[in-house]
Amino acid sequence: MSRINLAHRSLLARTGDWIRRHDRPIRRLQWLVIVLYAVLVIVPVLLPLPDDTAHLWSNLTLAAQFVFWGIWWPFVLLSMVLLGRVWCGVLCPEGTLSEIASKYGRGRAIPHWMRWRGWPFMAFALTTVYGQMVSLYQYPKAVMLVLGGSTVAAIAVGLVYGREKRVWCKYLCPVNGVFSLLARLSPLHYRVNEDAWRASYTHGEHGHRVIPVNCAPLVPLRGMQGGADCHMCGRCSGHREAITLSARSASDEVVRLGEAKANPWDSALILYGLCGIAIGAFHWSASPWFIALKQTAAGWLIDHNIMWPLDTQAPWFLLTHYAAQNDVFSWLDGAMIVSYILATALVYGTALWLLLAGAARTLGRWRIARFHHLVQALIPVAGCGVFLGLSATTLSLLRAEHLWLGWAPYVRWSMLAGANLWSAWLAWGISGRHSVSAVRRGSAMLWVTAALLVVDSAWWLMFYLW
Ligand code: SF4
């Protein structure tokens, strides 16, 4: 890169260059995260489960639970919105291991089945439901099975497919879809300057050597628009003097690029995944309706002398089974949990689908692309919901330590209010790309407001009514 250009690069662009130049310390940091992750996943399995006298600061199992579900996951989600997918590209242990494995693996071509666009939704849905069946947030063996299993799968995929690539992350990681949605809200991204790229060919003819970039998550660099797929690893910063870490409006990717990028699986993940399955997973253990339904079902089974569903002999890797903790699921419990989560997804997802379809229709003749575009306006409120649901675990662990949490409801409702406003702002921007009529846009906003209230009702039930 020429000196003149270097001097004119903004602080952000130079930060991107700095990340590119410091791949060694980043690699060391990645190994540190891998070691920490391995300790937190493996060691608690070897220890006895904590009793009632255990504390966060004196019991490794509780500490690991707090770190994973109380800090790590909620703040990884938050980091997606603030910084894009820096977590994926710089810190994620699974991504690092998968890429290292693929360096020494068989380097096969990516099979057709793996490119199916429904994987992000299916992987998220299956992991979330299965996590509830085995009480992922409570027990180390379940963590070992789900997180450890995912890591083993990431390494196995790396060993077979791609060369120094993150094929697992791009196609099969259970949270790839969620991260991809949240990263669209980030004010940071690697911007590609098409003119500079074209000009770089002329420079090339004059002897400038262009060093090829290994983009591990397989982003086509020249055509990259937005940050949904970019892992922000910084390796392409300054490439052909055309790619720079840049600031942008937090609405840009959703409003400006959303229609071209819209696809049904993203909408399914937002409506039926984040606003459906995830809400069901957070709800069932707090819901009095769940208990009432379960009691009714159990009564019916007993009346009809069908006793096997009340049996509690399922293994721990199928249904929660910790007799010493008095925490054992029957087949009925398992079936009720899965049904409750799926029913919640169906009710919330379909209600939101209908309301946003109403908004899309209000803006003009029915077009499915417009509907999918509008659905993306719900990303802030959907992401905020998952953050709040996960942080409920954080708060219950802190509550058990008798810490004062009087501030929590204010923070929670403020975050939700902010996310609602953000979603409404996005919806207003999106509606402006589909209609110039203020009346149509205003009417569409009524449908969108109703959809936001539907999402809010889930958190009102969980944090207020129940
Ligand atoms: S486009 Fe690829 S190489 Fe460039 S920062 Fe993103 S992940 Fe890294």
Side-chain angles (χ1 to χ4, degrees):
M1 188 174 302
S2 72
R3 259 173 213 210
I4 295 171
N5 277 353
L6 203 60
H8 283 91
R9 287 170 79 76
S10 69
L11 182 62
L12 261 182
R14 277 182 276 149
T15 306
D17 296 346
W18 186 89
I19 296 171
R20 186 199 67 227
R21 287 197 307 273
H22 290 78
D23 60 325
R24 271 178 165 234
I26 287 174
R27 192 39 69 103
R28 277 190 215 118
L29 183 63
Q30 287 173 329
W31 277 109
L32 196 69
V33 176
I34 289 169
V35 171
L36 181 69
Y37 175 75
V39 168
L40 292 177
V41 170
I42 297 167
V43 176
V45 179
L46 309 173
L47 300 173
L49 285 169
D51 58 23
D52 292 343
T53 60
H55 290 285
L56 272 181
W57 54 84
S58 59
N59 183 288
L60 186 69
T61 304
L62 277 183
Q65 193 184 353
F66 183 70
V67 169
F68 266 132
W69 308 116
I71 300 174
W72 196 316
W73 275 110
F75 287 94
V76 164
L77 291 180
L78 196 61
S79 79
M80 295 293 147
V81 177
L82 298 176
L83 304 170
R85 300 179 68 167
V86 173
W87 162 261
C88 299
V90 178
L91 296 170
C92 176
E94 276 189 10
T96 308
L97 288 170
S98 192
E99 187 180 340
I100 293 171
S102 95
K103 187 174 178 181
Y104 304 103
R106 308 187 75 165
R108 284 199 189 155
I110 300 160
H112 190 66
W113 64 265
M114 205 182 273
R115 295 175 189 269
W116 182 49
R117 297 181 84 177
W119 283 126
F121 173 80
M122 292 305 289
F124 173 80
L126 292 174
T127 315
T128 306
V129 174
Y130 181 66
Q132 294 305 305
M133 288 163 61
V134 294
S135 296
L136 177 63
Y137 299 153
Q138 276 91 41
Y139 296 107
K141 282 200 289 190
V143 171
M144 173 87 150
L145 186 66
V146 176
L147 297 190
S150 166
T151 307
V152 169
I155 295 171
V157 167
L159 283 172
V160 179
Y161 302 110
R163 179 66 68 208
E164 286 190 72
K165 294 289 181 277
R166 297 187 175 204
V167 176
W168 166 263
C169 311
K170 184 171 177 73
Y171 294 107
L172 298 177
C173 168
V175 280
N176 172 41
V178 179
F179 288 174
S180 155
L181 291 174
L182 294 179
R184 293 173 205 193
L185 304 175
S186 168
L188 299 179
H189 74 140
Y190 280 91
R191 190 168 63 83
V192 182
N193 182 330
E194 179 59 28
D195 294 337
W197 189 293
R198 231 177 287 117
S200 72
Y201 286 108
T202 323
H203 296 158
E205 284 162 14
H206 291 95
H208 290 259
R209 197 166 72 87
V210 176
I211 301 167
V213 174
N214 170 31
C215 174
L218 300 146
V219 181
L221 295 182
R222 187 171 184 175
M224 175 167 64
Q225 293 216 330
D229 300 322
C230 165
H231 285 198
M232 305 287 278
C233 69
R235 288 178 206 172
C236 65
S237 181
H239 182 57
R240 290 182 176 275
E241 299 188 19
I243 301 184
T244 42
L245 180 59
S246 311
R248 62 177 180 178
S249 154
S251 67
D252 185 67
E253 189 160 347
V254 169
V255 173
R256 189 172 60 84
L257 305 174
E259 187 177 7
K261 283 189 166 190
N263 79 75
W265 287 110
D266 278 351
S267 296
L269 186 56
I270 296 167
L271 300 179
Y272 289 93
L274 295 173
C275 295
I277 288 171
I279 286 177
F282 291 127
H283 265 195
W284 72 266
S285 56
S287 166
W289 303 336
F290 176 81
I291 296 169
L293 286 168
K294 200 175 86 173
Q295 283 172 346
T296 308
W300 188 90
L301 288 169
I302 292 167
D303 289 347
H304 291 77
N305 206 22
I306 307 170
M307 303 309 284
W308 67 262
L310 305 177
D311 188 60
T312 55
Q313 294 310 311
W316 67 269
F317 51 84
L318 216 52
L319 291 173
T320 302
H321 193 106
Y322 301 90
Q325 275 61 38
N326 221 0
D327 194 1
V328 178
F329 287 180
S330 66
W331 295 107
L332 175 65
D333 289 323
M336 289 296 299
I337 290 168
V338 175
S339 309
Y340 191 90
I341 293 173
L342 294 183
T344 306
L346 206 63
V347 170
Y348 271 99
T350 308
L352 293 171
W353 198 100
L354 291 171
L355 290 167
L356 290 172
R361 181 68 187 84
T362 308
L363 288 169
R365 205 161 46 83
W366 173 255
R367 278 201 307 115
I368 195 71
R370 180 187 290 143
F371 166 76
H372 292 314
H373 195 188
L374 266 173
V375 171
Q376 292 175 52
L378 293 192
I379 296 174
V381 85
C384 179
V386 178
F387 181 88
L388 294 182
L390 285 172
S391 64
T393 307
T394 323
L395 295 177
S396 63
L397 287 167
L398 293 177
R399 199 171 292 117
E401 301 299 336
H402 305 291
L403 293 179
W404 181 75
L405 297 173
W407 50 269
Y410 299 104
V411 174
R412 180 183 287 149
W413 295 120
S414 305
M415 285 187 73
L416 197 58
N420 271 267
L421 288 174
W422 194 347
S423 282
W425 179 46
L426 291 178
W428 180 251
I430 292 167
S431 69
R433 293 186 73 87
H434 294 279
S435 174
V436 287
S437 157
V439 177
R440 279 179 184 264
R441 291 177 75 188
S443 309
M445 287 308 292
L446 292 178
W447 290 95
V448 172
T449 306
L452 292 175
L453 289 174
V454 167
V455 181
D456 294 339
S457 72
W459 306 111
W460 174 76
L461 285 170
M462 182 164 159
F463 293 126
Y464 186 77
L465 194 69
W466 296 338

